[in-house]
């Protein structure tokens, strides 16, 4: 992914690259190159803008400006097309995580744990119209037993029970430690799918949300992306006003609890990476570098939730902390006054399978849009 990176964020990024074995210990000066390499084939102006925000006088600045001009010129001359998925190519995660999935680095942008890719929107629709037509309506289908929807344009919600789980990972990433026991004291409902382009556009039509970046959000059945944490808050406020129900972003603990689906393994499907369970660049078909697949294209986890891993990085309510030391044990949001860096979870279609782990987390600046970032919503049950 791509976004501006503060020096502290860059330092965190380099640590991540080193811990993942992507950069040798003596080559921290290469993070700008790693960032550029993660976006250099992107077809989205926003990714190059993110690079320029991070490195306004960088070695690739001239090329970045040229790419932006070329892509915008091509977009302005392109004929209008029926809404295919808008492709925003996040550089493997935010800028500083060029090596870690497309998650934002310390305060710049999500970086893909090891990947880079773009949005498959239009390519997927063109390649398999029949499949696209079938999956396009996934998020719009009538709720099944145990599911709910508060309005025709609202996300389908799945109710989860209160419960406890072990949060985090004891492996190589310091930010995922220490593993700690968390108790979710009350049931809550969470989106069955990530918020789609079609659902976001309903908010736009109500003049409550900003328009999506057109080139990366052409497929109405794909997850809405290139959205900041602040954008997600606009959508949540609109849902609250529209329905009168307590919608919000999930806390980080709620997100991991939902993602694990009652499992304690590295991935919700087991301890080993297995193709066919997530939308990531080495997770199996369908996959298109241009963007994420329509929601519901892969199997759900044990709780019936789709695309918790892969697709797009998902914003949570929490402020970023470098570890779980002193983290709340009751599942509430861990916030801080004046917080800018927010937690994103789940990886995206541009990252590899190592980013699909249930414990994977990263950060991104709340006000920055990145082509790999989207979200799903939660609703309190009272």
């Amino acid at each position: 992914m791509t976004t501006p990176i503060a020096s502290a964020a860059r330092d965190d990024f380099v640590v991540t690259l080193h811990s993942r074995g992507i950069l040798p210990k003596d080559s921290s000066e290469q993070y700008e190159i790693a960032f550029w390499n993660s976006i250099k084939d992107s077809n989205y102006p926003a990714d190059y803008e993110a690079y320029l925000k991070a490195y306004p006088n960088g070695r690739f600045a001239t090329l970045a400006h040229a790419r932006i001009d070329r892509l915008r010129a091509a977009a302005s001359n392109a004929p209008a097309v029926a809404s295919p998925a808008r492709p925003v190519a996040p550089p493997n995660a935010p800028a500083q995580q060029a090596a870690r999935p497309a998650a934002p680095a310390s305060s710049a942008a999500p970086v893909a744990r090891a990947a880079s890719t773009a949005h498959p929107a239009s390519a997927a629709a063109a390649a398999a119209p029949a499949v696209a037509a079938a999956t396009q309506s996934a998020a719009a289908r009538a709720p099944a037993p145990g599911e709910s929807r508060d309005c025709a344009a609202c996300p389908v919600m799945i109710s989860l029970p209160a419960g406890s789980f072990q949060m985090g990972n004891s492996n190589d990433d310091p930010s995922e430690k220490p593993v700690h026991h968390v108790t979710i004291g009350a049931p809550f409902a969470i989106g069955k799918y990530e918020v789609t382009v079609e659902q976001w556009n309903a908010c736009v039509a109500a003049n409550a949300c900003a328009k999506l970046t057109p080139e990366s959000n052409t497929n109405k059945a794909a997850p809405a992306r290139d959205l900041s944490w602040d954008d997600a808050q606009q959508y949540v406020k609109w849902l609250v006003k529209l329905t009168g129900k307590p919608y919000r972003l999930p806390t980080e603990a709620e997100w991991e609890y939902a993602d694990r689906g009652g499992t304690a393994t590295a991935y919700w499907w087991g301890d080993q990476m297995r193709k066919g369970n997530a939308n990531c660049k080495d997770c199996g078909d369908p996959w298109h570098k241009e963007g994420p697949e329509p929601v519901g294209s892969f199997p759900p986890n044990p709780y019936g939730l789709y695309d918790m891993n892969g697709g797009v990085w998902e914003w949570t309510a929490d402020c970023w902390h470098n570890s779980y030391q002193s983290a709340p044990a009751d599942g509430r949001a861990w916030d801080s006054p004046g917080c800018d860096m927010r937690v994103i979870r789940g990886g995206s279609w541009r990252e590899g399978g190592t980013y699909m782990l249930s414990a994977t987390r990263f950060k991104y600046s709340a006000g920055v849009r990145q082509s790999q970032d989207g979200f799903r919503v939660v609703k309190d049950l009272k």
Side-chain angles (χ1 to χ4, degrees):
M1 294 200 218
T2 344
T3 61
I5 311 172
S7 62
R10 293 174 189 159
D11 292 343
D12 287 346
F13 177 41
V14 173
V15 168
T16 298
L17 296 180
H18 289 162
S19 70
R20 301 289 174 189
I22 294 165
L23 286 183
K25 297 290 184 183
D26 60 351
S27 63
S28 58
E29 73 279 359
Q30 297 301 311
Y31 44 69
E32 181 190 354
I33 295 175
F35 182 0
W36 176 260
N37 286 339
S38 74
I39 66 161
K40 65 180 181 180
D41 297 320
S42 172
N43 292 321
Y44 309 106
D47 288 331
Y48 299 105
E49 290 170 347
Y51 167 81
L52 290 170
K53 286 179 181 176
Y55 305 100
N57 300 308
R59 66 184 70 192
F60 305 108
T62 301
L63 182 54
H65 283 295
R67 291 274 176 85
I68 290 169
D69 292 342
R70 177 174 60 79
L71 291 170
R72 285 187 173 151
S76 63
N77 294 325
V81 200
S83 110
R86 124 194 173 185
V88 170
N92 250 1
Q96 21 206 12
Q97 291 174 219
R100 169 155 184 154
S106 146
S107 92
V111 175
R113 252 184 192 183
S116 68
T117 7
H119 190 152
S122 46
V131 175
T135 52
Q136 252 185 340
S137 57
R141 291 174 191 154
E147 302 173 357
S148 63
R149 178 189 282 144
D150 290 321
C151 71
C154 294
V156 172
M157 306 296 288
I158 291 182
S159 298
L160 301 186
S164 300
F165 74 108
Q166 294 296 111
M167 184 174 180
N169 186 346
S170 59
N171 293 334
D172 59 344
D173 190 338
S175 78
E176 296 167 11
K177 301 175 184 177
V179 175
H180 56 294
H181 188 78
V182 174
T183 297
I184 307 293
F188 64 96
I190 186 169
K192 182 177 182 178
Y193 308 101
E194 294 156 329
V195 171
T196 66
V197 170
E198 183 174 30
Q199 290 165 346
W200 180 274
N201 284 342
C203 181
V204 174
N207 295 317
C209 289
K211 290 184 179 180
L212 292 168
T213 305
E215 66 270 19
S216 55
N217 288 279
T218 52
N219 187 335
K220 68 179 184 179
R225 61 194 180 93
D226 205 7
L227 294 169
S228 68
W229 187 88
D230 294 335
D231 291 330
Q233 295 297 334
Q234 283 187 336
Y235 182 84
V236 167
K237 288 177 183 176
W238 172 68
L239 276 185
V240 171
K241 184 176 181 180
L242 178 67
T243 66
K245 303 295 178 62
Y247 282 93
R248 55 181 173 79
L249 288 179
T251 69
E252 186 179 9
E254 288 171 338
W255 190 95
E256 187 168 326
Y257 175 73
D259 176 66
R260 289 183 177 279
T263 70
T265 48
Y267 306 88
W268 62 256
W269 56 82
D271 280 320
Q272 301 299 320
M273 180 57 203
R274 222 171 40 229
K275 291 187 176 182
N277 289 309
N279 183 200
C280 82
K281 74 172 184 178
D282 57 7
C283 291
D285 292 330
W287 181 83
H288 298 82
K289 69 177 182 179
E290 295 81 10
E293 302 304 311
V295 299
S297 296
F298 292 82
N301 76 357
Y303 282 162
L305 303 173
Y306 289 82
D307 311 310
M308 292 293 293
N309 305 93
V312 293
W313 285 93
E314 299 180 18
W315 288 108
T316 68
D318 297 46
C319 185
W320 172 263
H321 294 81
N322 290 329
S323 77
Y324 287 133
Q325 195 67 45
S326 302
D330 58 2
R332 71 179 187 276
W334 194 9
D335 213 343
S336 301
C339 173
D340 173 63
M341 295 307 300
R342 297 287 171 173
V343 178
I344 53 174
R345 299 295 304 256
S348 81
W349 88 98
R350 299 190 73 184
E351 278 75 67
T354 55
Y355 280 96
M356 303 300 108
L357 296 161
S358 295
T360 296
R361 63 194 297 259
F362 218 85
K363 60 199 168 200
Y364 214 87
S365 179
V368 175
R369 291 174 178 166
Q370 209 283 336
S371 62
Q372 291 169 240
D373 295 348
F375 69 103
R376 75 179 68 216
V377 296
V378 150
K379 183 178 69 173
D380 291 318
L381 298 177
K382 298 179 180 179

